[in-house]
Amino acid sequence: MLNPTVVSHTTVRRSNRTPVAAPRTSTRCSVCAMRHLCMPQGLTLDDLPKLEALICSARSVRRGEAVYRAGDAFDNLYVARSGSLKTVMAHRDGREQVTGLRLAGDPLGIDGISTGFHTCSAVALEDSSVCIIPYSALKHLCRETGAMQDRLHRLMSEQLIRESSQMMVLGSLSADERVAAFLLDVSERNGQRGYSHAEFNLRMTREDMGSYLGMTLETVSRTLSRFQKRGLIDAQGKLIRIIDLEGLRHL
Amino acid sequence: MLNPTVVSHTTVRRSNRTPVAAPRTSTRCSVCAMRHLCMPQGLTLDDLPKLEALICSARSVRRGEAVYRAGDAFDNLYVARSGSLKTVMAHRDGREQVTGLRLAGDPLGIDGISTGFHTCSAVALEDSSVCIIPYSALKHLCRETGAMQDRLHRLMSEQLIRESSQMMVLGSLSADERVAAFLLDVSERNGQRGYSHAEFNLRMTREDMGSYLGMTLETVSRTLSRFQKRGLIDAQGKLIRIIDLEGLRHL
DNA sequence: CGTGGCGTTGATAGTGTTCAAAATTGGTGG
DNA sequence: CCACCAATTTTGAACACTATCAACGCCACG
């Protein structure tokens, strides 16, 4: 289960307190990170060198910084490498909504393919890093390597399913159910990455959560407090421990 | 503007009244329909024969019938050819939510790529037809033809943007704003297909609309009535005429 | 040791839901 | 072609849930 190549959350947290001079400019992505995060399953050994040539760099992003902003020209796809980010979309009247939470291994920037410009922004929730994948090179590789093509298609399709699910959360669930669904989603994704299902550091603010879940920050806060009183979770600010997973599932 | 190859809505409506014996089994998709709906822009003439071989059939779907259902094995992508369909996702407790409205030219089934099974259902809102595109053959073609690869990627990315936008509608807008946004969206998409921006036959029920917009059918009905009283629209059941487009845009 | 961002909690108001009933529509079969 | 019946739509009234406004506490940071 545990994936030792993924940068641990604790490491990231520590680096927030004592900010080691992280390379701000592009750095070579380690093959090990690539194997597990950027390119994943299904490639033969023959394909590895091609991929190495493709994913040529990584980029550090400070908390609050954007990997790309809505309106930016689209050239690269990204894959979250460490840390976490949110995607944000803006209405014409200025209202903003958080449309996604991206953890290590999640793709970023697919929205730019259709028009050549990004329609949402990707902002780091903590000091993070992303792999940079030049789209033109990726396209080329996908035409050579069926496994890579499959991988890309699956990534896009997964993203689509994730957004559909979130549409259902927003359209059909009550406030309690939304918060519970969100906590369970983060719990599961944390587990998939080899971390604890039960305890995690949610770097979103209550306002971000509210925006993502279609409710106000006050309602998020109240809901979490109520969950805590009921013995479902233990929340100390951003640090959240799930006590009664089944209880959350049943509402 | 007007695209003469698209099957007109009135034709479809008439066929509802006097159901001409439509071929229920697979029929060869006309090249003309393919050119404009299934495969579109950016292919060279060399690519046409390849595409013809690929999109080998169409399928008629009666109102209420499903092109595919959640849980079905994924083999084909589809493109709406005439009529309109809704995509529906189900919660484990049985609650259903409409996640999309697909008009002629819109793709269907992309959600199946990631797991090999469809996660939502596609149900015809009126007697409709869809082009069938075997996914394995499409993948193969995409590796031969860059234009086809681009087209597929853009289609998926567009879908992603559409869903993000809907997330924002569900998460940030009031009931009035949601209904207005929906009407404007349908109006625009109708216009893009060569039909009237101002008048269209919305085959969704008030319940479908409510589900899609995250509100009850009663609220949808009330909102439409209020819009009518304010002189923004003229709604006679499913037939909707937009009177004050700017008024709708400004809320 | 302020200061500002973030989180919690309370009181009140508003928006949309729920329940109910009547009106209308449209598809089906005679 | 018409009549009927079920599905859909509309409208009303009471209620529930969540938003809003406001005050306060906490912590990290300069």
Side-chain angles (χ1 to χ4, degrees):
Chain A
M1 265 299 126
L2 196 137
N3 180 340
T5 65
V6 177
V7 178
S8 85
H9 276 185
T10 39
T11 303
V12 173
R13 227 186 304 155
R14 181 149 41 79
S15 84
N16 275 354
R17 294 203 185 106
T18 49
V20 174
R24 301 297 309 282
T25 54
S26 293
T27 57
R28 180 118 193 131
C29 201
S30 75
V31 174
C32 132
M34 277 194 289
R35 169 176 257 133
H36 291 87
L37 297 180
C38 302
M39 70 150 232
Q41 310 77 13
L43 296 195
T44 66
L45 271 174
D46 286 354
D47 300 327
L48 255 182
K50 296 178 190 168
L51 192 76
E52 265 187 83
L54 176 65
I55 304 165
C56 53
S57 59
R59 176 176 154 198
S60 294
V61 203
R62 283 284 179 79
R63 182 163 71 90
E65 262 191 326
V67 176
Y68 56 85
R69 293 184 184 284
D72 284 358
F74 165 75
D75 293 308
N76 304 309
L77 289 177
Y78 305 88
V79 176
R81 190 160 153 263
S82 68
S84 55
L85 306 94
K86 63 177 175 183
T87 51
V88 182
M89 208 172 194
H91 205 163
R92 47 181 158 67
D93 63 8
R95 275 179 288 188
E96 284 196 342
Q97 165 134 3
V98 174
T99 54
L101 168 65
R102 307 303 170 94
L103 306 180
D106 290 337
L108 282 164
I110 300 176
D111 62 281
I113 294 177
S114 86
T115 62
F117 294 92
H118 290 285
T119 56
C120 66
S121 309
V123 178
L125 293 168
E126 60 191 300
D127 293 358
S128 306
S129 66
V130 297
C131 297
I132 302 174
I133 306 175
Y135 176 59
S136 57
L138 179 64
K139 272 200 297 191
H140 197 263
L141 181 58
C142 282
R143 293 184 58 189
E144 291 178 352
T145 308
M148 199 66 216
Q149 186 190 33
D150 279 347
R151 172 76 187 148
L152 178 60
H153 287 185
R154 262 198 289 273
L155 231 50
M156 295 205 242
S157 176
E158 264 169 39
Q159 203 51 44
L160 223 40
I161 292 174
R162 186 166 284 287
E163 296 204 352
S164 291
S165 303
Q166 187 60 13
M167 280 178 52
M168 202 154 77
V169 167
L170 290 169
S172 305
L173 304 191
S174 69
D176 280 14
E177 292 172 319
R178 291 181 203 193
V179 174
F182 178 61
L183 294 179
L184 290 171
D185 179 52
V186 175
S187 163
E188 184 182 335
R189 289 161 73 186
N190 246 40
Q192 285 165 350
R193 282 158 181 76
Y195 301 126
S196 167
H197 281 277
E199 194 168 356
F200 43 84
N201 209 318
L202 242 189
R203 312 304 286 228
M204 282 180 153
T205 65
R206 299 291 186 257
E207 186 170 15
D208 284 334
M209 280 192 246
S211 173
Y212 182 55
L213 297 175
M215 49 208 259
T216 58
L217 65 96
E218 291 96 329
T219 302
V220 172
S221 178
R222 269 187 258 271
T223 304
L224 289 173
S225 298
R226 206 156 0 91
F227 283 0
Q228 182 146 2
K229 280 189 195 108
R230 284 192 214 160
L232 294 170
I233 65 170
D234 181 39
Q236 308 270 336
K238 297 199 192 322
L239 186 67
I240 290 178
R241 193 160 58 87
I242 294 183
I243 297 172
D244 183 358
L245 202 109
E246 279 310 307
L248 281 180
R249 282 216 183 91
H250 298 334
L251 251 154
Chain B
M1 262 302 125
L2 195 136
N3 181 341
T5 65
V6 177
V7 178
S8 85
H9 275 186
T10 40
T11 303
V12 172
R13 230 185 301 153
R14 182 151 39 80
S15 83
N16 276 352
R17 295 205 185 103
T18 48
V20 173
R24 302 296 310 284
T25 54
S26 292
T27 56
R28 181 116 193 133
C29 202
S30 76
V31 174
C32 133
M34 274 195 292
R35 172 176 254 133
H36 291 88
L37 296 180
C38 301
M39 70 151 232
Q41 311 75 14
L43 294 194
T44 67
L45 270 173
D46 286 354
D47 300 327
L48 254 181
K50 294 179 190 168
L51 194 75
E52 266 186 81
L54 176 63
I55 303 166
C56 53
S57 60
R59 176 176 156 198
S60 294
V61 204
R62 283 283 179 80
R63 183 165 69 91
E65 262 190 328
V67 177
Y68 55 84
R69 293 184 183 284
D72 285 357
F74 164 75
D75 293 308
N76 306 307
L77 290 177
Y78 304 89
V79 176
R81 189 160 155 265
S82 67
S84 56
L85 305 95
K86 64 178 174 182
T87 51
V88 181
M89 208 173 194
H91 205 162
R92 46 180 159 68
D93 63 9
R95 273 179 291 188
E96 284 198 341
Q97 164 135 4
V98 174
T99 54
L101 167 65
R102 306 304 169 93
L103 306 180
D106 289 337
L108 283 163
I110 299 176
D111 61 281
I113 294 178
S114 87
T115 63
F117 294 91
H118 290 286
T119 56
C120 66
S121 309
V123 177
L125 292 169
E126 59 191 300
D127 293 358
S128 306
S129 67
V130 296
C131 296
I132 302 174
I133 307 174
Y135 176 59
S136 58
L138 179 65
K139 271 201 299 191
H140 197 263
L141 181 57
C142 283
R143 293 184 59 188
E144 290 178 352
T145 308
M148 198 67 216
Q149 186 190 33
D150 279 348
R151 171 77 188 149
L152 178 62
H153 286 184
R154 262 197 290 273
L155 231 49
M156 295 205 242
S157 176
E158 264 169 39
Q159 203 50 46
L160 222 41
I161 292 175
R162 184 165 288 286
E163 296 203 352
S164 292
S165 302
Q166 188 59 12
M167 280 179 52
M168 201 153 77
V169 166
L170 291 169
S172 304
L173 304 191
S174 70
D176 281 14
E177 292 172 319
R178 290 181 204 193
V179 173
F182 178 61
L183 294 178
L184 290 171
D185 181 51
V186 175
S187 163
E188 184 182 334
R189 289 162 73 186
N190 246 39
Q192 285 167 351
R193 283 158 180 76
Y195 302 126
S196 167
H197 281 278
E199 195 168 353
F200 42 84
N201 207 318
L202 242 188
R203 314 303 287 227
M204 281 179 153
T205 65
R206 299 290 186 260
E207 186 170 16
D208 284 335
M209 279 192 247
S211 173
Y212 183 54
L213 297 175
M215 49 208 256
T216 60
L217 65 96
E218 291 96 330
T219 303
V220 173
S221 178
R222 269 187 259 271
T223 305
L224 289 173
S225 298
R226 206 154 3 88
F227 282 1
Q228 182 147 359
K229 280 190 194 108
R230 285 190 214 162
L232 295 170
I233 65 169
D234 180 39
Q236 309 270 335
K238 297 199 192 325
L239 186 67
I240 290 178
R241 193 160 58 88
I242 294 182
I243 296 171
D244 184 357
L245 202 111
E246 278 310 308
L248 281 180
R249 282 217 183 90
H250 297 337
L251 245 153

